[in-house]
C-alpha cells in the first residue's frame, strides 16, 4: 500500500520524526513537481487501500498521512 520511501537518488525532505532518507513524495507515489490537487488524489487513492478499516495496517496509514501532511506543507497547502 505504501511504496518504498527510501532511495539514494530520490529528493529527500527532512522531517523531525522521520528516519534519515525518508521521502514523503515516494510514499505518496508522486514527484516533487506534483501540485496540491495531484497530491490529494494520490493520498485518497492510497488511503482507500491502506486505511485500517479497509484491511490495511495502522502503521502504513500513519506513514501515508505523515507523508501527505509533509508534502502539502511543502506545496503551500495545509491538510
Amino acid at each position: 500500500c505504501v511504496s518504498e520511501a527510501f532511495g539514494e537518488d530520490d529528493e529527500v525532505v527532512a522531517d523531525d520524526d522521520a528516519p534519515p532518507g525518508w521521502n514523503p513524495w515516494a510514499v505518496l507515489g508522486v514527484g516533487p513537481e506534483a501540485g496540491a490537487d495531484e497530491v490529494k488524489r494520490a493520498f485518497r487513492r492510497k488511503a482507500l487501500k491502506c486505511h485500517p478499516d479497509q484491511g490495511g495496517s495502522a502503521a502504513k496509514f500513519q506513514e501515508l498521512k505523515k507523508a501527505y501532511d509533509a508534502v502539502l506543507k511543502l506545496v503551500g497547502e495545509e491538510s
Side-chain angles (χ1 to χ4, degrees), residues 1-78:
C1 135
V2 176
S3 63
E4 186 60 42
F6 298 92
E8 292 178 22
D9 297 332
D10 294 334
E11 179 177 334
V12 176
V13 177
D15 184 299
D16 294 341
D17 299 328
W22 183 71
N23 184 338
W25 303 102
V27 172
L28 290 167
V30 298
E33 70 284 346
D37 289 339
E38 185 178 350
V39 169
K40 288 176 184 180
R41 278 192 302 272
F43 171 75
R44 289 183 186 120
R45 245 187 332 267
K46 289 194 172 235
L48 288 174
K49 296 177 184 176
C50 291
H51 197 279
D53 290 348
Q54 300 297 322
S57 152
K60 294 286 187 183
F61 183 76
Q62 288 172 349
E63 180 183 4
L64 180 65
K65 178 67 169 121
K66 183 177 180 177
Y68 175 66
D69 291 341
V71 170
L72 279 187
K73 187 181 288 186
L74 290 169
V75 296
E77 226 176 280
E78 299 294 324

